[in-house]
PDB file of all heavy atoms in Angstrom:
ATOM      1  N   TYR A  29       0.858  -1.187   0.000  1.00 89.00           N
ATOM      2  CA  TYR A  29       0.000   0.000   0.000  1.00 89.00           C
ATOM      3  C   TYR A  29       0.891   1.233   0.000  1.00 89.00           C
ATOM      4  O   TYR A  29       1.797   1.368   0.829  1.00 89.00           O
ATOM      5  CB  TYR A  29      -0.913   0.019   1.218  1.00 89.00           C
ATOM      6  CG  TYR A  29      -1.779   1.254   1.302  1.00 89.00           C
ATOM      7  CD1 TYR A  29      -2.939   1.365   0.548  1.00 89.00           C
ATOM      8  CD2 TYR A  29      -1.419   2.320   2.130  1.00 89.00           C
ATOM      9  CE1 TYR A  29      -3.717   2.500   0.618  1.00 89.00           C
ATOM     10  CE2 TYR A  29      -2.198   3.449   2.206  1.00 89.00           C
ATOM     11  CZ  TYR A  29      -3.352   3.532   1.449  1.00 89.00           C
ATOM     12  OH  TYR A  29      -4.117   4.663   1.511  1.00 89.00           O
ATOM     13  N   GLN A  30       0.633   2.131  -0.933  1.00 90.00           N
ATOM     14  CA  GLN A  30       1.451   3.333  -1.058  1.00 90.00           C
ATOM     15  C   GLN A  30       0.568   4.521  -1.389  1.00 90.00           C
ATOM     16  O   GLN A  30      -0.154   4.513  -2.385  1.00 90.00           O
ATOM     17  CB  GLN A  30       2.503   3.125  -2.156  1.00 90.00           C
ATOM     18  CG  GLN A  30       3.396   4.331  -2.390  1.00 90.00           C
ATOM     19  CD  GLN A  30       4.524   4.020  -3.344  1.00 90.00           C
ATOM     20  OE1 GLN A  30       5.460   3.320  -2.998  1.00 90.00           O
ATOM     21  NE2 GLN A  30       4.429   4.526  -4.572  1.00 90.00           N
ATOM     22  N   ASP A  31       0.613   5.507  -0.522  1.00 89.00           N
ATOM     23  CA  ASP A  31      -0.153   6.737  -0.724  1.00 89.00           C
ATOM     24  C   ASP A  31       0.607   7.859  -0.024  1.00 89.00           C
ATOM     25  O   ASP A  31       0.604   7.965   1.208  1.00 89.00           O
ATOM     26  CB  ASP A  31      -1.562   6.596  -0.151  1.00 89.00           C
ATOM     27  CG  ASP A  31      -2.454   7.758  -0.538  1.00 89.00           C
ATOM     28  OD1 ASP A  31      -1.941   8.729  -1.154  1.00 89.00           O
ATOM     29  OD2 ASP A  31      -3.663   7.719  -0.237  1.00 89.00           O
ATOM     30  N   PHE A  32       1.291   8.665  -0.799  1.00 90.00           N
ATOM     31  CA  PHE A  32       2.121   9.722  -0.220  1.00 90.00           C
ATOM     32  C   PHE A  32       1.296  10.742   0.551  1.00 90.00           C
ATOM     33  O   PHE A  32       1.694  11.193   1.626  1.00 90.00           O
ATOM     34  CB  PHE A  32       2.918  10.417  -1.323  1.00 90.00           C
ATOM     35  CG  PHE A  32       3.900   9.515  -2.013  1.00 90.00           C
ATOM     36  CD1 PHE A  32       3.650   9.034  -3.277  1.00 90.00           C
ATOM     37  CD2 PHE A  32       5.082   9.148  -1.396  1.00 90.00           C
ATOM     38  CE1 PHE A  32       4.544   8.196  -3.921  1.00 90.00           C
ATOM     39  CE2 PHE A  32       5.991   8.317  -2.026  1.00 90.00           C
ATOM     40  CZ  PHE A  32       5.718   7.835  -3.293  1.00 90.00           C
ATOM     41  N   SER A  33       0.159  11.109   0.024  1.00 89.00           N
ATOM     42  CA  SER A  33      -0.650  12.138   0.679  1.00 89.00           C
ATOM     43  C   SER A  33      -1.265  11.657   1.981  1.00 89.00           C
ATOM     44  O   SER A  33      -1.524  12.462   2.885  1.00 89.00           O
ATOM     45  CB  SER A  33      -1.755  12.613  -0.274  1.00 89.00           C
ATOM     46  OG  SER A  33      -2.598  11.526  -0.630  1.00 89.00           O
ATOM     47  N   ALA A  34      -1.520  10.352   2.113  1.00 86.00           N
ATOM     48  CA  ALA A  34      -2.157   9.819   3.320  1.00 86.00           C
ATOM     49  C   ALA A  34      -1.152   9.363   4.369  1.00 86.00           C
ATOM     50  O   ALA A  34      -1.409   9.489   5.565  1.00 86.00           O
ATOM     51  CB  ALA A  34      -3.081   8.655   2.956  1.00 86.00           C
ATOM     52  N   ASP A  35      -0.014   8.843   3.940  1.00 88.00           N
ATOM     53  CA  ASP A  35       0.950   8.255   4.881  1.00 88.00           C
ATOM     54  C   ASP A  35       2.091   9.204   5.260  1.00 88.00           C
ATOM     55  O   ASP A  35       2.562   9.172   6.394  1.00 88.00           O
ATOM     56  CB  ASP A  35       1.550   6.974   4.289  1.00 88.00           C
ATOM     57  CG  ASP A  35       0.538   5.845   4.234  1.00 88.00           C
ATOM     58  OD1 ASP A  35      -0.485   5.935   4.935  1.00 88.00           O
ATOM     59  OD2 ASP A  35       0.760   4.875   3.482  1.00 88.00           O
ATOM     60  N   ILE A  36       2.544   9.984   4.318  1.00 91.00           N
ATOM     61  CA  ILE A  36       3.747  10.782   4.533  1.00 91.00           C
ATOM     62  C   ILE A  36       3.353  12.201   4.936  1.00 91.00           C
ATOM     63  O   ILE A  36       2.452  12.799   4.324  1.00 91.00           O
ATOM     64  CB  ILE A  36       4.615  10.809   3.263  1.00 91.00           C
ATOM     65  CG1 ILE A  36       4.838   9.386   2.752  1.00 91.00           C
ATOM     66  CG2 ILE A  36       5.942  11.496   3.530  1.00 91.00           C
ATOM     67  CD1 ILE A  36       5.528   8.474   3.736  1.00 91.00           C
ATOM     68  N   PRO A  37       3.986  12.767   5.963  1.00 90.00           N
ATOM     69  CA  PRO A  37       3.713  14.171   6.305  1.00 90.00           C
ATOM     70  C   PRO A  37       4.041  15.101   5.138  1.00 90.00           C
ATOM     71  O   PRO A  37       4.871  14.791   4.278  1.00 90.00           O
ATOM     72  CB  PRO A  37       4.622  14.428   7.507  1.00 90.00           C
ATOM     73  CG  PRO A  37       4.879  13.083   8.086  1.00 90.00           C
ATOM     74  CD  PRO A  37       4.887  12.135   6.942  1.00 90.00           C
ATOM     75  N   ALA A  38       3.382  16.233   5.122  1.00 90.00           N
ATOM     76  CA  ALA A  38       3.527  17.150   3.986  1.00 90.00           C
ATOM     77  C   ALA A  38       4.964  17.648   3.836  1.00 90.00           C
ATOM     78  O   ALA A  38       5.421  17.908   2.713  1.00 90.00           O
ATOM     79  CB  ALA A  38       2.573  18.329   4.162  1.00 90.00           C
ATOM     80  N   ASP A  39       5.702  17.767   4.930  1.00 90.00           N
ATOM     81  CA  ASP A  39       7.075  18.277   4.851  1.00 90.00           C
ATOM     82  C   ASP A  39       8.021  17.295   4.176  1.00 90.00           C
ATOM     83  O   ASP A  39       9.088  17.705   3.684  1.00 90.00           O
ATOM     84  CB  ASP A  39       7.595  18.604   6.255  1.00 90.00           C
ATOM     85  CG  ASP A  39       6.793  19.708   6.907  1.00 90.00           C
ATOM     86  OD1 ASP A  39       6.161  20.491   6.166  1.00 90.00           O
ATOM     87  OD2 ASP A  39       6.784  19.781   8.155  1.00 90.00           O
ATOM     88  N   TYR A  40       7.676  16.002   4.163  1.00 91.00           N
ATOM     89  CA  TYR A  40       8.580  14.980   3.629  1.00 91.00           C
ATOM     90  C   TYR A  40       8.049  14.290   2.380  1.00 91.00           C
ATOM     91  O   TYR A  40       8.659  13.334   1.901  1.00 91.00           O
ATOM     92  CB  TYR A  40       8.849  13.921   4.706  1.00 91.00           C
ATOM     93  CG  TYR A  40       9.373  14.482   5.989  1.00 91.00           C
ATOM     94  CD1 TYR A  40       8.578  14.511   7.129  1.00 91.00           C
ATOM     95  CD2 TYR A  40      10.659  14.994   6.080  1.00 91.00           C
ATOM     96  CE1 TYR A  40       9.044  15.029   8.320  1.00 91.00           C
ATOM     97  CE2 TYR A  40      11.143  15.519   7.268  1.00 91.00           C
ATOM     98  CZ  TYR A  40      10.324  15.538   8.383  1.00 91.00           C
ATOM     99  OH  TYR A  40      10.801  16.059   9.562  1.00 91.00           O
ATOM    100  N   GLN A  41       6.929  14.746   1.873  1.00 92.00           N
ATOM    101  CA  GLN A  41       6.373  14.105   0.682  1.00 92.00           C
ATOM    102  C   GLN A  41       7.278  14.280  -0.528  1.00 92.00           C
ATOM    103  O   GLN A  41       7.482  13.339  -1.311  1.00 92.00           O
ATOM    104  CB  GLN A  41       4.977  14.660   0.393  1.00 92.00           C
ATOM    105  CG  GLN A  41       3.921  14.226   1.400  1.00 92.00           C
ATOM    106  CD  GLN A  41       2.549  14.757   1.072  1.00 92.00           C
ATOM    107  OE1 GLN A  41       2.343  15.348   0.000  1.00 92.00           O
ATOM    108  NE2 GLN A  41       1.607  14.576   1.980  1.00 92.00           N
ATOM    109  N   ARG A  42       7.857  15.446  -0.683  1.00 92.00           N
ATOM    110  CA  ARG A  42       8.732  15.688  -1.828  1.00 92.00           C
ATOM    111  C   ARG A  42       9.967  14.791  -1.779  1.00 92.00           C
ATOM    112  O   ARG A  42      10.359  14.192  -2.781  1.00 92.00           O
ATOM    113  CB  ARG A  42       9.156  17.159  -1.862  1.00 92.00           C
ATOM    114  CG  ARG A  42      10.131  17.491  -2.999  1.00 92.00           C
ATOM    115  CD  ARG A  42      10.495  18.967  -2.999  1.00 92.00           C
ATOM    116  NE  ARG A  42      11.506  19.262  -4.022  1.00 92.00           N
ATOM    117  CZ  ARG A  42      12.805  19.137  -3.846  1.00 92.00           C
ATOM    118  NH1 ARG A  42      13.267  18.720  -2.662  1.00 92.00           N
ATOM    119  NH2 ARG A  42      13.655  19.424  -4.818  1.00 92.00           N
ATOM    120  N   ILE A  43      10.571  14.661  -0.590  1.00 91.00           N
ATOM    121  CA  ILE A  43      11.755  13.815  -0.452  1.00 91.00           C
ATOM    122  C   ILE A  43      11.414  12.365  -0.756  1.00 91.00           C
ATOM    123  O   ILE A  43      12.143  11.663  -1.469  1.00 91.00           O
ATOM    124  CB  ILE A  43      12.336  13.951   0.969  1.00 91.00           C
ATOM    125  CG1 ILE A  43      12.742  15.397   1.239  1.00 91.00           C
ATOM    126  CG2 ILE A  43      13.508  13.011   1.171  1.00 91.00           C
ATOM    127  CD1 ILE A  43      13.223  15.635   2.655  1.00 91.00           C
ATOM    128  N   CYS A  44      10.282  11.891  -0.221  1.00 92.00           N
ATOM    129  CA  CYS A  44       9.898  10.497  -0.429  1.00 92.00           C
ATOM    130  C   CYS A  44       9.596  10.225  -1.903  1.00 92.00           C
ATOM    131  O   CYS A  44       9.972   9.179  -2.438  1.00 92.00           O
ATOM    132  CB  CYS A  44       8.684  10.173   0.440  1.00 92.00           C
ATOM    133  SG  CYS A  44       8.336   8.412   0.589  1.00 92.00           S
ATOM    134  N   LYS A  45       8.965  11.166  -2.574  1.00 92.00           N
ATOM    135  CA  LYS A  45       8.688  10.995  -4.007  1.00 92.00           C
ATOM    136  C   LYS A  45       9.979  10.985  -4.819  1.00 92.00           C
ATOM    137  O   LYS A  45      10.123  10.189  -5.766  1.00 92.00           O
ATOM    138  CB  LYS A  45       7.762  12.111  -4.502  1.00 92.00           C
ATOM    139  CG  LYS A  45       6.331  11.986  -3.999  1.00 92.00           C
ATOM    140  CD  LYS A  45       5.479  13.121  -4.532  1.00 92.00           C
ATOM    141  CE  LYS A  45       4.048  13.020  -4.033  1.00 92.00           C
ATOM    142  NZ  LYS A  45       3.195  14.126  -4.542  1.00 92.00           N
ATOM    143  N   MET A  46      10.940  11.834  -4.456  1.00 92.00           N
ATOM    144  CA  MET A  46      12.202  11.848  -5.174  1.00 92.00           C
ATOM    145  C   MET A  46      12.956  10.529  -5.002  1.00 92.00           C
ATOM    146  O   MET A  46      13.584  10.018  -5.944  1.00 92.00           O
ATOM    147  CB  MET A  46      13.062  13.020  -4.699  1.00 92.00           C
ATOM    148  CG  MET A  46      12.491  14.385  -5.064  1.00 92.00           C
ATOM    149  SD  MET A  46      12.413  14.654  -6.858  1.00 92.00           S
ATOM    150  CE  MET A  46      14.163  14.690  -7.261  1.00 92.00           C
ATOM    151  N   LEU A  47      12.902   9.939  -3.835  1.00 92.00           N
ATOM    152  CA  LEU A  47      13.522   8.631  -3.637  1.00 92.00           C
ATOM    153  C   LEU A  47      12.800   7.544  -4.418  1.00 92.00           C
ATOM    154  O   LEU A  47      13.436   6.599  -4.914  1.00 92.00           O
ATOM    155  CB  LEU A  47      13.530   8.286  -2.141  1.00 92.00           C
ATOM    156  CG  LEU A  47      14.488   9.111  -1.278  1.00 92.00           C
ATOM    157  CD1 LEU A  47      14.245   8.841   0.191  1.00 92.00           C
ATOM    158  CD2 LEU A  47      15.932   8.794  -1.647  1.00 92.00           C
ATOM    159  N   TYR A  48      11.513   7.682  -4.545  1.00 93.00           N
ATOM    160  CA  TYR A  48      10.767   6.733  -5.378  1.00 93.00           C
ATOM    161  C   TYR A  48      11.185   6.878  -6.834  1.00 93.00           C
ATOM    162  O   TYR A  48      11.379   5.864  -7.546  1.00 93.00           O
ATOM    163  CB  TYR A  48       9.269   6.972  -5.207  1.00 93.00           C
ATOM    164  CG  TYR A  48       8.402   6.098  -6.065  1.00 93.00           C
ATOM    165  CD1 TYR A  48       8.377   4.715  -5.880  1.00 93.00           C
ATOM    166  CD2 TYR A  48       7.595   6.649  -7.060  1.00 93.00           C
ATOM    167  CE1 TYR A  48       7.571   3.909  -6.667  1.00 93.00           C
ATOM    168  CE2 TYR A  48       6.783   5.846  -7.841  1.00 93.00           C
ATOM    169  CZ  TYR A  48       6.769   4.481  -7.645  1.00 93.00           C
ATOM    170  OH  TYR A  48       5.975   3.674  -8.426  1.00 93.00           O
ATOM    171  N   TYR A  49      11.349   8.109  -7.305  1.00 92.00           N
ATOM    172  CA  TYR A  49      11.819   8.318  -8.681  1.00 92.00           C
ATOM    173  C   TYR A  49      13.250   7.811  -8.855  1.00 92.00           C
ATOM    174  O   TYR A  49      13.614   7.315  -9.933  1.00 92.00           O
ATOM    175  CB  TYR A  49      11.738   9.803  -9.038  1.00 92.00           C
ATOM    176  CG  TYR A  49      10.335  10.360  -9.000  1.00 92.00           C
ATOM    177  CD1 TYR A  49      10.095  11.710  -8.678  1.00 92.00           C
ATOM    178  CD2 TYR A  49       9.231   9.554  -9.258  1.00 92.00           C
ATOM    179  CE1 TYR A  49       8.809  12.218  -8.639  1.00 92.00           C
ATOM    180  CE2 TYR A  49       7.948  10.059  -9.211  1.00 92.00           C
ATOM    181  CZ  TYR A  49       7.744  11.383  -8.900  1.00 92.00           C
ATOM    182  OH  TYR A  49       6.467  11.894  -8.854  1.00 92.00           O
ATOM    183  N   LEU A  50      14.060   7.922  -7.802  1.00 91.00           N
ATOM    184  CA  LEU A  50      15.426   7.398  -7.866  1.00 91.00           C
ATOM    185  C   LEU A  50      15.406   5.878  -8.012  1.00 91.00           C
ATOM    186  O   LEU A  50      16.216   5.313  -8.762  1.00 91.00           O
ATOM    187  CB  LEU A  50      16.195   7.804  -6.614  1.00 91.00           C
ATOM    188  CG  LEU A  50      17.640   7.311  -6.522  1.00 91.00           C
ATOM    189  CD1 LEU A  50      18.478   7.862  -7.681  1.00 91.00           C
ATOM    190  CD2 LEU A  50      18.265   7.705  -5.188  1.00 91.00           C
ATOM    191  N   TRP A  51      14.497   5.217  -7.329  1.00 92.00           N
ATOM    192  CA  TRP A  51      14.387   3.758  -7.501  1.00 92.00           C
ATOM    193  C   TRP A  51      13.953   3.419  -8.923  1.00 92.00           C
ATOM    194  O   TRP A  51      14.460   2.459  -9.518  1.00 92.00           O
ATOM    195  CB  TRP A  51      13.390   3.193  -6.497  1.00 92.00           C
ATOM    196  CG  TRP A  51      13.093   1.745  -6.763  1.00 92.00           C
ATOM    197  CD1 TRP A  51      13.850   0.674  -6.414  1.00 92.00           C
ATOM    198  CD2 TRP A  51      11.964   1.227  -7.489  1.00 92.00           C
ATOM    199  NE1 TRP A  51      13.284  -0.485  -6.870  1.00 92.00           N
ATOM    200  CE2 TRP A  51      12.116  -0.174  -7.532  1.00 92.00           C
ATOM    201  CE3 TRP A  51      10.861   1.803  -8.101  1.00 92.00           C
ATOM    202  CZ2 TRP A  51      11.181  -1.004  -8.155  1.00 92.00           C
ATOM    203  CZ3 TRP A  51       9.939   0.983  -8.727  1.00 92.00           C
ATOM    204  CH2 TRP A  51      10.101  -0.405  -8.750  1.00 92.00           C
ATOM    205  N   MET A  52      13.027   4.195  -9.471  1.00 92.00           N
ATOM    206  CA  MET A  52      12.609   3.952 -10.848  1.00 92.00           C
ATOM    207  C   MET A  52      13.784   4.174 -11.812  1.00 92.00           C
ATOM    208  O   MET A  52      13.973   3.393 -12.768  1.00 92.00           O
ATOM    209  CB  MET A  52      11.440   4.874 -11.201  1.00 92.00           C
ATOM    210  CG  MET A  52      10.179   4.594 -10.401  1.00 92.00           C
ATOM    211  SD  MET A  52       8.824   5.733 -10.784  1.00 92.00           S
ATOM    212  CE  MET A  52       8.501   5.314 -12.485  1.00 92.00           C
ATOM    213  N   LEU A  53      14.592   5.206 -11.569  1.00 90.00           N
ATOM    214  CA  LEU A  53      15.769   5.441 -12.397  1.00 90.00           C
ATOM    215  C   LEU A  53      16.759   4.287 -12.288  1.00 90.00           C
ATOM    216  O   LEU A  53      17.364   3.872 -13.285  1.00 90.00           O
ATOM    217  CB  LEU A  53      16.423   6.755 -11.982  1.00 90.00           C
ATOM    218  CG  LEU A  53      17.719   7.132 -12.726  1.00 90.00           C
ATOM    219  CD1 LEU A  53      17.445   7.313 -14.221  1.00 90.00           C
ATOM    220  CD2 LEU A  53      18.330   8.396 -12.132  1.00 90.00           C
ATOM    221  N   HIS A  54      16.919   3.764 -11.092  1.00 88.00           N
ATOM    222  CA  HIS A  54      17.794   2.595 -10.890  1.00 88.00           C
ATOM    223  C   HIS A  54      17.303   1.403 -11.700  1.00 88.00           C
ATOM    224  O   HIS A  54      18.098   0.689 -12.348  1.00 88.00           O
ATOM    225  CB  HIS A  54      17.847   2.265  -9.398  1.00 88.00           C
ATOM    226  CG  HIS A  54      18.488   0.951  -9.084  1.00 88.00           C
ATOM    227  ND1 HIS A  54      17.750  -0.169  -8.771  1.00 88.00           N
ATOM    228  CD2 HIS A  54      19.790   0.575  -9.031  1.00 88.00           C
ATOM    229  CE1 HIS A  54      18.567  -1.183  -8.532  1.00 88.00           C
ATOM    230  NE2 HIS A  54      19.812  -0.748  -8.681  1.00 88.00           N
ATOM    231  N   SER A  55      15.996   1.152 -11.676  1.00 90.00           N
ATOM    232  CA  SER A  55      15.450   0.026 -12.437  1.00 90.00           C
ATOM    233  C   SER A  55      15.626   0.234 -13.939  1.00 90.00           C
ATOM    234  O   SER A  55      15.971  -0.706 -14.679  1.00 90.00           O
ATOM    235  CB  SER A  55      13.967  -0.155 -12.090  1.00 90.00           C
ATOM    236  OG  SER A  55      13.794  -0.348 -10.704  1.00 90.00           O
ATOM    237  N   ILE A  56      15.413   1.458 -14.408  1.00 91.00           N
ATOM    238  CA  ILE A  56      15.585   1.738 -15.841  1.00 91.00           C
ATOM    239  C   ILE A  56      17.047   1.571 -16.242  1.00 91.00           C
ATOM    240  O   ILE A  56      17.362   1.060 -17.327  1.00 91.00           O
ATOM    241  CB  ILE A  56      15.068   3.156 -16.157  1.00 91.00           C
ATOM    242  CG1 ILE A  56      13.557   3.225 -15.951  1.00 91.00           C
ATOM    243  CG2 ILE A  56      15.431   3.545 -17.581  1.00 91.00           C
ATOM    244  CD1 ILE A  56      12.992   4.625 -16.060  1.00 91.00           C
ATOM    245  N   THR A  57      17.973   1.965 -15.355  1.00 86.00           N
ATOM    246  CA  THR A  57      19.400   1.805 -15.643  1.00 86.00           C
ATOM    247  C   THR A  57      19.764   0.334 -15.788  1.00 86.00           C
ATOM    248  O   THR A  57      20.526  -0.058 -16.688  1.00 86.00           O
ATOM    249  CB  THR A  57      20.235   2.463 -14.545  1.00 86.00           C
ATOM    250  OG1 THR A  57      19.856   3.823 -14.402  1.00 86.00           O
ATOM    251  CG2 THR A  57      21.718   2.375 -14.866  1.00 86.00           C
ATOM    252  N   LEU A  58      19.230  -0.518 -14.912  1.00 87.00           N
ATOM    253  CA  LEU A  58      19.491  -1.953 -15.024  1.00 87.00           C
ATOM    254  C   LEU A  58      18.895  -2.522 -16.308  1.00 87.00           C
ATOM    255  O   LEU A  58      19.492  -3.399 -16.945  1.00 87.00           O
ATOM    256  CB  LEU A  58      18.914  -2.679 -13.806  1.00 87.00           C
ATOM    257  CG  LEU A  58      19.614  -2.425 -12.469  1.00 87.00           C
ATOM    258  CD1 LEU A  58      18.870  -3.143 -11.346  1.00 87.00           C
ATOM    259  CD2 LEU A  58      21.060  -2.884 -12.518  1.00 87.00           C
ATOM    260  N   LEU A  59      17.741  -2.013 -16.721  1.00 89.00           N
ATOM    261  CA  LEU A  59      17.154  -2.466 -17.980  1.00 89.00           C
ATOM    262  C   LEU A  59      18.019  -2.047 -19.170  1.00 89.00           C
ATOM    263  O   LEU A  59      18.247  -2.841 -20.106  1.00 89.00           O
ATOM    264  CB  LEU A  59      15.737  -1.914 -18.113  1.00 89.00           C
ATOM    265  CG  LEU A  59      14.987  -2.279 -19.404  1.00 89.00           C
ATOM    266  CD1 LEU A  59      14.825  -3.792 -19.534  1.00 89.00           C
ATOM    267  CD2 LEU A  59      13.627  -1.588 -19.437  1.00 89.00           C
ATOM    268  N   LEU A  60      18.509  -0.811 -19.135  1.00 88.00           N
ATOM    269  CA  LEU A  60      19.388  -0.351 -20.225  1.00 88.00           C
ATOM    270  C   LEU A  60      20.692  -1.146 -20.228  1.00 88.00           C
ATOM    271  O   LEU A  60      21.239  -1.440 -21.309  1.00 88.00           O
ATOM    272  CB  LEU A  60      19.666   1.138 -20.057  1.00 88.00           C
ATOM    273  CG  LEU A  60      18.451   2.068 -20.245  1.00 88.00           C
ATOM    274  CD1 LEU A  60      18.862   3.518 -19.976  1.00 88.00           C
ATOM    275  CD2 LEU A  60      17.871   1.934 -21.647  1.00 88.00           C
ATOM    276  N   ASN A  61      21.189  -1.481 -19.060  1.00 83.00           N
ATOM    277  CA  ASN A  61      22.391  -2.318 -19.002  1.00 83.00           C
ATOM    278  C   ASN A  61      22.133  -3.687 -19.618  1.00 83.00           C
ATOM    279  O   ASN A  61      22.996  -4.244 -20.325  1.00 83.00           O
ATOM    280  CB  ASN A  61      22.840  -2.466 -17.549  1.00 83.00           C
ATOM    281  CG  ASN A  61      24.067  -3.330 -17.395  1.00 83.00           C
ATOM    282  OD1 ASN A  61      25.168  -2.957 -17.794  1.00 83.00           O
ATOM    283  ND2 ASN A  61      23.888  -4.513 -16.822  1.00 83.00           N
ATOM    284  N   LEU A  62      20.945  -4.235 -19.385  1.00 87.00           N
ATOM    285  CA  LEU A  62      20.593  -5.522 -19.996  1.00 87.00           C
ATOM    286  C   LEU A  62      20.560  -5.396 -21.521  1.00 87.00           C
ATOM    287  O   LEU A  62      21.081  -6.270 -22.249  1.00 87.00           O
ATOM    288  CB  LEU A  62      19.238  -5.986 -19.445  1.00 87.00           C
ATOM    289  CG  LEU A  62      18.752  -7.389 -19.794  1.00 87.00           C
ATOM    290  CD1 LEU A  62      17.828  -7.900 -18.697  1.00 87.00           C
ATOM    291  CD2 LEU A  62      17.986  -7.421 -21.129  1.00 87.00           C
ATOM    292  N   LEU A  63      19.970  -4.325 -22.029  1.00 88.00           N
ATOM    293  CA  LEU A  63      19.904  -4.142 -23.479  1.00 88.00           C
ATOM    294  C   LEU A  63      21.295  -3.927 -24.076  1.00 88.00           C
ATOM    295  O   LEU A  63      21.613  -4.423 -25.180  1.00 88.00           O
ATOM    296  CB  LEU A  63      18.990  -2.960 -23.803  1.00 88.00           C
ATOM    297  CG  LEU A  63      17.507  -3.131 -23.385  1.00 88.00           C
ATOM    298  CD1 LEU A  63      16.731  -1.857 -23.690  1.00 88.00           C
ATOM    299  CD2 LEU A  63      16.879  -4.326 -24.093  1.00 88.00           C
ATOM    300  N   ALA A  64      22.147  -3.196 -23.342  1.00 85.00           N
ATOM    301  CA  ALA A  64      23.506  -2.976 -23.830  1.00 85.00           C
ATOM    302  C   ALA A  64      24.287  -4.284 -23.884  1.00 85.00           C
ATOM    303  O   ALA A  64      25.023  -4.552 -24.848  1.00 85.00           O
ATOM    304  CB  ALA A  64      24.213  -1.962 -22.946  1.00 85.00           C
TER     305      ALA A  64
END
């Protein structure tokens, strides 16, 4: 279950979302490494 607006305080929502995007970037990097 993931809901930034319901679980994360407003002061830390931006940080938590950026870390989520960092994980997505990590996964995309591994996919590009596989294609390479």
